[in-house]
Amino acid sequence: MLILAKESFSSKSNNASFNDSKIICFSSIRLFIDKTPQIVRTYLYLFLLSYLYRKYERNARMTQIEIKKYHINNLNFTVRIAGLENNGDLVVLLHGFPESSLMWEPLMKILAEKGYRVVAPNQRGYSSGARPKGFENYTMKLLASDVVTLAEKVGFKNKFHLVGHDIGAVVGWTTATLYPNLLKSWTADWPAYLWALDNDPTQKEKGSYVHLFQHKFILRFRHYRALRKLWQCFPQYNINAYLNTRGAS
């Protein structure tokens, strides 16, 4: 009880000292305001308002995601961008299947607010203007070339960070292999997935759809029913956007 009483008394004393400090601080500010000429106070208020507005405008602009078209390797890619006016490193995000760059929007906002410049393309075959016919137009070398050319298109000459998910990780590993001098970092979940695909029966079952979806007629059956089932927990907006990358919205 004695210890508790001492702790309580000490806490009250600390709180009292803190409150006294606040009173002194506020009193000093009030005295400064009262002694300052009106014209000076007006300028100070305007400066403060201007600073707060610029800060708000900058944050709002940084978190805004734009969708632009970039002509890359004789194809037109749909690309989401955020924070390109920042001074930080460039981060390129590669989506998986059966998704699009929309999947990266929450992360793009976070990275842009941290000062990074962020781009996320709808990759070859997903962008409506980048769907050449023929399997030969979808080699990993071409997809990797799309990535580094996009980095150049947004005006980035230095090394950049690359992040890949699912099939985007396959493209990313190829990019890291062919253009190691252009990457500052490379992040992917693919090695863990490959291990699980070889050793985990549950993952084998869940990953079996990849072989099934190589047959376009099965994929398109009943207006992409299989894909809709995969996306059943997603918001309708996301589902419509993903289907739009297949010309099926």
Side-chain angles (χ1 to χ4, degrees), residues 51-61:
Y51 169 77
L52 293 174
Y53 176 77
R54 288 197 304 272
K55 186 175 181 181
Y56 168 79
E57 187 181 42
R58 180 170 177 266
N59 289 337
R61 185 172 62 248

Side-chain angles (χ1 to χ4, degrees), residues 9-198:
F9 178 78
S10 176
S11 176
K12 290 180 179 178
S13 299
N14 290 337
N15 288 337
S17 299
F18 178 70
N19 290 333
D20 290 343
S21 298
K22 287 197 298 184
I23 292 172
I24 294 172
C25 180
F26 289 138
S27 298
S28 300
I29 294 173
R30 182 60 185 271
L31 180 63
F32 171 78
I33 293 174
D34 290 341
K35 295 290 186 179
T36 303
Q38 180 63 40
I39 185 66
V40 176
R41 278 185 283 172
T42 301
Y43 276 114
L44 287 174
Y45 291 147
L46 290 175
F47 175 79
L48 179 60
L49 287 174
S50 176
Y51 169 77
L52 293 174
Y53 176 77
R54 288 197 304 272
K55 186 175 181 181
Y56 168 79
E57 187 181 42
R58 180 170 177 266
N59 289 337
R61 185 172 62 248
M62 285 170 60
T63 56
Q64 183 180 0
I65 294 178
E66 298 180 67
I67 300 177
K68 291 190 174 183
K69 299 286 186 179
Y70 286 92
H71 190 68
I72 298 170
N73 294 335
N74 297 318
L75 300 171
N76 294 314
F77 286 80
T78 301
V79 182
R80 282 178 165 80
I81 62 173
L84 289 188
E85 72 282 356
N86 293 341
N87 296 319
D89 293 340
L90 175 68
V91 182
V92 180
L93 305 170
L94 304 177
H95 64 80
F97 173 87
E99 296 148 322
S100 73
S101 58
L102 175 66
M103 66 167 288
W104 293 117
E105 282 199 352
L107 179 59
M108 292 181 71
K109 292 179 180 179
I110 293 173
L111 291 174
E113 288 171 359
K114 296 291 184 180
Y116 291 97
R117 290 174 276 184
V118 194
V119 296
N122 284 356
Q123 295 184 74
R124 184 178 292 237
Y126 295 81
S127 290
S128 59
R131 296 174 183 168
K133 294 182 179 181
F135 290 105
E136 67 277 7
N137 290 307
Y138 295 89
T139 65
M140 283 297 147
K141 285 186 177 180
L142 287 174
L143 271 67
S145 175
D146 294 339
V147 174
V148 297
T149 306
L150 172 61
E152 294 174 1
K153 281 285 185 178
V154 297
F156 206 81
K157 304 298 183 181
N158 300 319
K159 293 184 177 182
F160 60 91
H161 302 280
L162 184 61
V163 180
H165 168 69
D166 191 68
I167 192 65
V170 181
V171 179
W173 277 114
T174 306
T175 306
T177 301
L178 297 178
Y179 306 97
N181 57 310
L182 297 180
L183 297 187
K184 195 166 188 176
S185 71
W186 161 231
T187 305
D189 55 6
W190 196 250
Y193 168 72
L194 289 179
W195 181 92
L197 196 61
D198 290 334

